[in-house]
Amino acid sequence: MQMTDAADPWLIVGLGNPGPDYAANRHNVGFMVADLLAERMRARFKAHKARAQVVEGRMGPPGPANRRVVLAKPQSYMNLSGGPVTALRDFYKVPTAHIVAIHDELDIDYGMLRVKLGGGDNGHNGLKSMTKSMGPDYHRVRFGIGRPPGRMQVADFVLKDFSSAERKELGYFVDRAADAVECLVTEGLERAQSTYNS
């Protein structure tokens, strides 16, 4: 694990697929959280040469907990996320331990969160691509979407929009996930886990 410094920037990556057809899919919840974080920073995403949209800014209260952050939404498809993320890591000189991937997670009930450092990809193509590009030692904010009903294929389930029942609470859960990201970056992994892991 590389050493990090409080002055090192953080790279917060919302995972998803680009384009309006995918915008409301379960697989795009990472983009939804990134959009909310950008809104909180009062900033707009701009195109970056690393095939991503980025926002540069600061997160946290004024003072020692204030952090320099780069928010990113890779504009490759999900299964190629590692390329843009690695390019952004190198461009902004971000240590891998300061990278946060926000992604949908099948093995957690809808709306539940888990914050963790490192681990496997659990069949998630975005994480698989990131880990292949730079190893597993980055943070994850896992947003539960639950398992597909009946015999529905996983690929069909993640590429469908949230159900109308789920959408009633989606705003609240996205808001909570954004809070968890901010807590992780400004207060550290243990605080984020004890506050948000459900």
Side-chain angles (χ1 to χ4, degrees):
M1 191 71 138
Q2 64 199 125
M3 294 301 290
T4 59
D5 186 286
D8 287 330
W10 283 77
L11 174 59
I12 300 165
V13 183
L15 291 179
N17 286 307
D21 291 350
Y22 298 100
N25 288 180
R26 291 183 176 93
H27 222 17
N28 270 43
V29 76
F31 275 17
M32 296 172 198
V33 177
D35 285 338
L36 179 58
L37 287 166
E39 210 177 284
R40 290 181 179 184
M41 289 162 67
R42 295 185 174 82
R44 288 203 166 167
F45 281 98
K46 294 185 174 71
H48 190 279
K49 64 182 180 184
R51 283 186 309 144
Q53 290 186 343
V54 301
V55 161
E56 297 176 52
R58 302 198 75 87
M59 187 175 276
N66 192 262
R67 299 281 179 260
R68 189 156 70 92
V69 300
V70 179
L71 275 179
K73 296 192 295 185
Q75 297 299 291
S76 60
Y77 284 96
M78 180 71 91
N79 58 345
L80 300 171
S81 301
V85 175
T86 305
L88 289 170
R89 178 197 67 180
D90 296 345
F91 182 86
Y92 289 104
K93 299 180 172 52
V94 179
T96 304
H98 274 201
I99 295 173
V100 182
I102 311 163
H103 65 93
D104 57 305
E105 178 60 65
L106 289 159
D107 283 343
I108 305 173
D109 289 342
Y110 174 60
M112 300 289 108
L113 294 174
R114 294 270 198 297
V115 184
K116 64 181 282 198
L117 172 63
D121 56 57
N122 212 12
H124 191 287
N125 289 332
L127 297 182
K128 205 174 281 184
S129 178
M130 283 179 62
T131 297
K132 191 174 171 192
S133 293
M134 59 190 188
D137 297 327
Y138 53 91
H139 289 85
R140 299 102 193 273
V141 173
R142 303 160 73 202
F143 186 110
I145 60 169
R147 282 256 157 214
R151 297 179 175 219
M152 188 188 287
Q153 294 296 310
V154 164
D156 295 335
F157 179 69
V158 299
L159 293 175
K160 277 199 165 34
D161 291 359
F162 285 100
S163 70
S164 55
E166 288 170 335
R167 282 199 296 272
K168 289 189 176 107
E169 294 181 294
L170 183 60
Y172 168 77
F173 290 138
V174 167
D175 196 61
R176 197 161 176 274
D179 290 347
V181 173
E182 289 182 350
C183 182
L184 170 63
V185 169
T186 61
E187 299 184 62
L189 178 62
E190 281 183 27
R191 170 57 68 89
Q193 287 178 324
S194 64
T195 308
Y196 294 99
N197 281 13
S198 39

